Amino acid sequence: MKSAVETLNPTRVRLTVEVPFEELKDSLDAAYKKINQQVTVKGFRKGKIPARVIDQRFGRGAVLEEAVNDALPKFYTEAVNEAELNPLGQPEVDITELKDGETLNFTAEVDIRPTLEIPDYSGIEVEVDAVEVTDEDVEKSVEQLRERFASTSPVERAAEDGDVVTIDLKAKVEGEVLEDGIADGVSYTIGSGELLDGVDDAVKGLSAGEETTFTSELKGGSAAGKEAEVSVKVTQVAARELPELDDEFAQLASEFDTLDELKADSRKRLANMKQFDQATQAQERVLEKLLELVEVPVPEKLLEDEINTRKHNLEHHQLGQMGLTLDKYLEIQGKTAEEFDTETREAAVKGIKTQFVLDELVKKENLNVNQEELTEHLMRRAASSGMSPDQFAQAVVEGGQVPLLVGEVARGKALAVVVEAATVKDTNGEVIDLDDEDETEEASAEAEATEAAAEEKTEG
């Protein structure tokens, strides 16, 4: 076999391949064997039909077609490996010549990863927000904790802002009550915005036993997006009572004995969270600077596939779960279809460029992924997906996604190398040391653990 490569543009090549006919022998034998198992010829046992009889009865062309279809992937792969290409997606193959007993010639056009030159990135400088926790931040955090421990008690008066009302709801569209439009005994805090638009104004001023109607656009269910006439009846009005901010509250809501200790812990937790946000901000801004330094051509076919994938995932998974159409989502976001398409394209271009550049850095810096790093990444991905680590790991293995996870970890390490080499300053002009990624992750984990502990106490 002989092959040659023609560069069509920085991200696409054409392979020209010539295959001597003798190299098709194995595929021809396999073609005769396959046809033998599929057809019946009187006078011959199944699977024992001579090749000349198959040629006479079914045509040599059918055999050649089967043999070529079998052989093409192998010869294409050999040509790719010989040229040391990194193909993206499936090739467009064109058989240019097939002479029985002489030769098979074909061309294959395919997108490839562009060759990138990674320049010196040690001079990258970025600015991030300073980590500052104000007294107001602490007070707000403690107030949110206080809200969790609020109690309610029924009152004999009309409902007001902040009250918790128990209500029965019934939604009609075009005069018909919806099957999924009836809900009784719903507990709702007036002003929270967690139910239908208009419900706050409707229930304010109503006492237990009173009812009214209002119109609202339904957010979900069988009639999502439609205007509905909603009947609402208040069955109970309860006032919320917040606990006093004192040492007794600190003991109720946390493991601390005094309010001062609780506030000090809140300050520390907020600082940890802001440090984590700062590190994330640094990574994003360093990556932006890095992408500006590298010329990255993007294969058009790969870009179109990425755009379509992003649109499909948004429309059929994220929005579908919320009961929204793409048009309704754009209306809520205040965007036109053209603006959405532009943003999606820009995000897809950035995603592809990021992967190309970081993959090139992985090679340049000889970065490897060990089992411990892969396991840690898998645990984080499992937590964000809502699955147990075992379930997530099984899904990854069964879906053949392990190489993708390895790639994610490797690219993360490549970005960390660039961040470490960059100069990161906060808005106060202080140089930030982001070398110890583990400390940042521990800070984030500690903050999440504190939040979880507070929620458990609330539920208890």
Side-chain angles (χ1 to χ4, degrees):
M1 184 196 81
K2 293 192 301 182
S3 64
V5 181
E6 177 188 356
T7 300
L8 303 177
N9 62 50
T11 63
R12 193 166 180 83
V13 297
R14 179 189 292 123
L15 287 163
T16 301
V17 183
E18 298 179 11
V19 182
F21 204 80
E22 55 266 24
E23 293 187 30
L24 284 172
K25 182 179 184 309
D26 290 345
S27 293
L28 277 169
D29 291 344
Y32 279 116
K33 187 174 182 180
K34 182 177 181 179
I35 294 172
N36 239 309
Q37 299 301 321
Q38 294 175 338
V39 300
T40 302
V41 176
K42 189 175 180 180
F44 297 95
R45 286 183 297 163
K46 196 172 186 67
K48 300 295 184 180
I49 308 169
R52 59 178 176 77
V53 175
I54 290 177
D55 289 346
Q56 291 168 357
R57 289 294 185 92
F58 306 103
R60 174 72 167 177
V63 179
L64 288 174
E65 182 179 355
E66 181 67 39
V68 168
N69 288 340
D70 175 74
L72 276 178
K74 180 185 71 171
F75 292 124
Y76 165 72
T77 301
E78 286 181 12
V80 165
N81 292 338
E82 186 178 286
E84 298 182 344
L85 300 175
N86 291 309
L88 300 167
Q90 295 300 313
E92 294 178 8
V93 177
D94 181 27
I95 298 173
T96 55
E97 186 175 28
L98 175 58
K99 289 186 177 180
D100 194 359
E102 294 183 28
T103 186
L104 163 67
N105 298 335
F106 69 91
T107 62
E109 287 191 17
V110 66
D111 287 331
I112 60 169
R113 278 180 177 266
T115 301
L116 303 181
E117 290 294 330
I118 306 294
D120 179 18
Y121 47 77
S122 61
I124 290 177
E125 292 188 15
V126 298
E127 183 180 76
V128 295
D129 295 336
V131 173
E132 295 174 343
V133 180
T134 65
D135 291 343
E136 184 181 348
D137 292 333
V138 175
E139 294 300 327
K140 183 179 178 181
S141 175
V142 173
E143 190 62 30
Q144 288 173 342
L145 186 59
R146 186 184 179 205
E147 290 277 350
R148 293 183 188 172
F149 287 85
S151 60
T152 58
S153 56
V155 292
E156 298 295 329
R157 59 165 173 78
E160 300 173 356
D161 263 329
D163 285 343
V164 178
V165 290
T166 304
I167 54 179
D168 297 336
L169 295 164
K170 184 184 297 182
K172 289 182 181 179
V173 173
E174 298 177 353
E176 295 291 329
V177 177
L178 300 172
E179 288 186 13
D180 57 353
I182 299 174
D184 294 334
V186 176
S187 180
Y188 175 67
T189 301
I190 300 175
S192 67
E194 294 174 351
L195 275 178
L196 297 170
D197 293 338
V199 70
D200 289 333
D201 291 336
V203 297
K204 276 191 292 188
L206 296 184
S207 300
E210 295 182 333
E211 59 184 298
T212 189
T213 61
F214 65 99
T215 59
S216 182
E217 186 178 291
L218 300 178
K219 295 180 179 179
S222 61
K226 293 185 177 180
E227 198 78 15
E229 181 185 281
V230 184
S231 301
V232 56
K233 180 179 181 180
V234 176
T235 59
Q236 179 180 277
V237 179
R240 297 177 77 249
E241 298 175 2
L242 295 173
E244 290 294 326
L245 280 178
D246 52 22
D247 292 347
E248 186 176 337
F249 167 70
Q251 294 163 20
L252 169 70
S254 70
E255 71 271 29
F256 302 106
D257 294 326
T258 68
L259 184 60
D260 286 342
E261 288 175 325
L262 173 60
K263 287 184 176 181
D265 179 72
S266 294
R267 187 178 294 275
K268 178 184 176 184
R269 177 170 54 83
L270 290 169
N272 287 340
M273 292 173 67
K274 291 195 174 190
Q275 284 173 350
F276 180 76
D277 291 342
Q278 186 187 64
T280 302
Q281 193 178 66
Q283 289 180 331
E284 292 172 350
R285 293 183 178 178
V286 167
L287 176 59
E288 288 174 2
K289 291 282 189 180
L290 177 64
L291 294 180
E292 290 173 7
L293 293 176
V294 188
E295 185 71 28
V296 187
V298 176
E300 195 59 36
K301 178 67 167 61
L302 180 66
L303 176 58
E304 293 306 316
D305 288 345
E306 178 66 16
I307 290 171
N308 291 335
T309 297
R310 286 171 181 254
K311 286 184 176 179
H312 178 85
N313 289 340
L314 174 66
E315 198 166 355
H316 298 281
H317 296 294
Q318 295 162 261
L319 297 183
Q321 291 175 356
M322 300 186 322
L324 292 175
T325 63
L326 180 57
D327 289 341
K328 187 60 186 175
Y329 168 75
L330 294 179
E331 182 184 326
I332 294 171
Q333 294 291 314
K335 295 177 183 175
T336 65
E338 290 75 17
E339 288 172 335
F340 170 73
D341 287 343
T342 299
E343 290 179 5
T344 303
R345 187 178 186 85
E346 288 173 352
V349 167
K350 183 178 179 181
I352 293 171
K353 286 186 174 182
T354 297
Q355 183 169 335
F356 283 173
V357 170
L358 295 182
D359 283 347
E360 191 67 31
L361 266 169
V362 169
K363 288 194 296 182
K364 180 179 179 180
E365 302 292 345
N366 294 316
L367 300 176
N368 295 307
V369 176
N370 60 41
Q371 186 61 48
E372 183 181 355
E373 291 167 334
L374 182 60
T375 301
E376 287 177 0
H377 183 65
L378 187 148
M379 298 279 280
R380 286 194 293 269
R381 286 288 303 273
S384 64
S385 71
M387 301 169 68
S388 72
D390 287 345
Q391 289 174 325
F392 187 78
Q394 183 177 353
V396 166
V397 172
E398 290 178 353
Q401 303 296 303
V402 173
L404 291 180
L405 255 63
V406 171
E408 289 175 4
V409 178
R411 285 189 283 275
K413 294 180 71 172
L415 180 55
V417 169
V418 183
V419 172
E420 185 176 348
T423 300
V424 181
K425 294 181 180 180
D426 67 17
T427 48
N428 294 329
E430 297 290 329
V431 176
I432 308 299
D433 183 8
L434 296 170
D435 289 352
D436 198 339
E437 189 178 328
D438 291 337
E439 282 188 14
T440 303
E441 291 185 3
E442 282 178 18
S444 174
E446 185 179 331
E448 291 174 3
T450 305
E451 288 285 338
E455 286 178 8
E456 285 180 13
K457 283 193 173 240
T458 307
E459 292 168 0

